[in-house]
Amino acid sequence: PLFLNQLQKDLEEVKELLTNATRKRVRDVLVAEKQKLELEIKNQPLPKPKDVAEEEKASLGGYTVKINNYGWDQSDKFVKIYISLNGVQKLPTENVQVNFTERSFDLLVKNLNGKNYTMTFNNLLKPISVEGSSRKIKTDMVLVMCKKKREEKWDCLTQVEKESKEKEKAAYDTADPSEGLMNILKKMYAEGDDEMKRTINKAWVESREKQYKGDIPMDI
């Protein structure tokens, strides 16, 4: 695949730069980039043999839909992803395929009511056991069972979600509590409907009025 080739070229160039780098700070940056690229390459799905890929393509036909809605929970040993698909239990079991890697999985459901459905999760938060992971077909639902390599709690499903949460938390965790509250209000205002905006505006005006009244000395 083209993307994998690009990553490998980037890695080769980083290695070449490392052989010439003498400054510790520069070497540290390059080593970090090298490790990041190696991890990305490792997590890329393996290319399928051409004949298998072509055969699968031919058997798909129809219209392919990307699944975006899911639910998830976890036990000590598994992360469980629930995907609702009406009538999926009527399909032959081989029409519901899941490929796992240590940090990803992709689901393909073939020919369900004339459509194919796909879902891909890359960069899972923590490594999973490929051998211990599986999928179960239930009534109107596919359950993907990712076996945890270590029995520990996951705060979210993917690395991207974790980074997004950390950025949001950093925006609110400011030294000045009123500034943190202001950030939350701004976010609510930006994402809210007209009713929400009116409510926030009214509260803001009232708070300014109180503040103003409180500032006037009593002996005037």
Side-chain angles (χ1 to χ4, degrees):
L2 188 61
F3 185 59
L4 185 58
N5 287 344
Q6 294 295 334
L7 287 175
Q8 285 165 339
K9 282 179 184 173
D10 288 349
L11 181 59
E12 283 165 25
E13 191 162 311
V14 167
K15 284 179 179 174
E16 199 175 316
L17 289 168
L18 256 172
T19 60
N20 298 319
T22 54
R23 307 288 299 165
K24 184 181 182 301
R25 192 168 176 183
V26 174
R27 285 187 65 82
D28 288 349
V29 170
L30 289 169
V31 167
E33 187 62 25
K34 176 175 168 280
Q35 288 169 347
K36 187 179 161 191
L37 284 165
E38 284 170 345
L39 185 63
E40 271 193 72
I41 289 167
K42 189 180 174 187
N43 286 336
Q44 287 295 307
L46 291 170
K48 295 174 184 170
K50 195 174 179 189
D51 54 341
V52 174
E54 290 301 319
E55 189 183 305
E56 196 169 273
K57 213 174 190 180
S59 71
L60 281 175
Y63 180 63
T64 299
V65 180
K66 200 170 181 181
I67 305 167
N68 292 313
N69 295 327
Y70 63 90
W72 76 285
D73 69 5
Q74 60 186 310
S75 63
D76 288 342
K77 294 183 178 178
F78 288 92
V79 169
K80 306 167 192 176
I81 296 95
Y82 302 88
I83 299 119
S84 295
L85 288 167
N86 286 337
V88 70
Q89 72 279 6
K90 296 171 188 169
L91 290 176
T93 53
E94 64 269 19
N95 279 32
V96 181
Q97 301 168 0
V98 183
N99 293 315
F100 296 95
T101 76
E102 193 178 61
R103 290 293 283 272
S104 74
F105 74 82
D106 63 88
L107 164 72
L108 171 64
V109 178
K110 295 195 282 187
N111 198 19
L112 175 60
N113 302 322
K115 294 177 186 173
N116 309 303
Y117 293 84
T118 64
M119 172 180 258
T120 301
F121 272 92
N122 288 319
N123 295 316
L124 290 169
L125 186 67
K126 297 175 190 289
I128 60 172
S129 160
V130 174
E131 300 75 27
S133 298
S134 61
R135 59 101 177 98
K136 292 181 180 176
I137 301 167
K138 298 179 172 289
T139 305
D140 297 334
M141 181 184 287
V142 176
L143 169 58
V144 178
M145 306 273 291
C146 297
K147 175 82 184 291
K148 295 177 179 178
K149 276 216 165 169
R150 285 192 301 190
E151 293 185 18
E152 56 187 332
K153 185 174 179 288
W154 288 26
D155 294 326
C156 47
L157 265 182
T158 65
Q159 193 65 34
V160 174
E161 277 179 75
K162 185 189 176 193
E163 286 165 12
S164 172
K165 279 184 181 176
E166 282 171 354
K167 276 181 194 165
E168 206 164 286
K169 187 172 183 290
Y172 300 148
D173 288 356
T174 59
D176 179 357
S178 64
E179 195 181 322
L181 177 61
M182 189 59 66
N183 285 334
I184 293 168
L185 283 171
K186 280 179 186 169
K187 187 170 189 291
M188 286 168 68
Y189 189 87
E191 294 174 0
D193 56 16
D194 289 344
E195 188 61 36
M196 173 68 79
K197 286 175 180 171
R198 276 196 294 273
T199 305
I200 291 172
N201 276 332
K202 185 168 178 278
W204 173 255
V205 169
E206 285 173 0
S207 104
R208 297 297 288 175
E209 282 174 355
K210 281 180 192 167
Q211 198 177 346
Y212 179 69
K213 283 174 188 168
D215 285 344
I216 298 171
M218 295 299 290
D219 56 352
I220 286 180

